[in-house]
Amino acid sequence: MNALNHWRIKPFVNQLTSIVLAQLVEKKEEKDRWKKAINQWGSSMVFVVIATFVYLYFFKLPHASSFENPLTLIFGDEMVWICTVFIIFSSFHMIWMKKKYKKADDDFEAIRSDFINRNEEWWSDEEQWNQRHIVFEFMKKEYNINIFHK
């Protein structure tokens, strides 16, 4: 319930609506956390791939003799193995995080869709029903959650 600024929309919602909106905000924040983590791991993986190629091109290949097998040169270096293990680990970790993101996104969309479908139930009296657009605009502006329509 701490995820929602109650004082801004309190006159326009009842307690049940407030609870559902708070759940919606929490699910949105969870979804955003997973998305941010995926982006950070992806960026670090790209950085390691680029750094590995730079290392090979500027530091290993100029010192190699023409008689040496390039694959032996590349895979004989422990730094390349460390980077390869990191890239493989990052790939599997990103796959796991994408599953978590997908689950968080599905949960968020289910609550959002349910809220939109049951719109008439959330506003207890006529005045709240007429002022619900203030809550919709607040949710869009503060949390980037669109509850106007699906």
Side-chain angles (χ1 to χ4, degrees), residues 136-147:
F136 293 170
E137 291 169 2
F138 170 78
M139 294 297 287
K140 181 65 177 167
K141 181 182 172 196
E142 291 292 320
Y143 300 108
N144 196 23
I145 299 174
N146 183 4
I147 52 177

Side-chain angles (χ1 to χ4, degrees), residues 78-95:
E78 66 184 38
M79 185 60 125
V80 173
W81 280 108
I82 291 171
C83 292
T84 303
V85 168
F86 176 78
I87 291 167
I88 291 170
F89 172 75
S90 295
S91 299
F92 284 116
H93 191 63
M94 283 183 59
I95 290 169

Side-chain angles (χ1 to χ4, degrees), residues 92-105:
F92 284 116
H93 191 63
M94 283 183 59
I95 290 169
W96 176 76
M97 285 191 300
K98 284 183 180 180
K99 288 180 183 176
K100 291 289 191 175
Y101 172 77
K102 177 75 170 127
K103 183 183 180 311
D105 185 43

Side-chain angles (χ1 to χ4, degrees), residues 53-70:
F53 283 121
V54 167
Y55 171 75
L56 288 173
Y57 187 76
F58 289 111
F59 295 107
K60 290 305 278 183
L61 293 180
H63 301 296
S65 66
S66 59
F67 301 111
E68 216 172 348
N69 184 358

Side-chain angles (χ1 to χ4, degrees), residues 33-68:
R33 276 194 312 270
W34 284 114
K35 185 67 171 175
K36 183 179 177 184
I38 290 169
N39 290 339
Q40 288 174 340
W41 274 91
S43 299
S44 65
M45 192 168 65
V46 168
F47 174 76
V48 169
V49 168
I50 292 171
T52 303
F53 283 121
V54 167
Y55 171 75
L56 288 173
Y57 187 76
F58 289 111
F59 295 107
K60 290 305 278 183
L61 293 180
H63 301 296
S65 66
S66 59
F67 301 111
E68 216 172 348

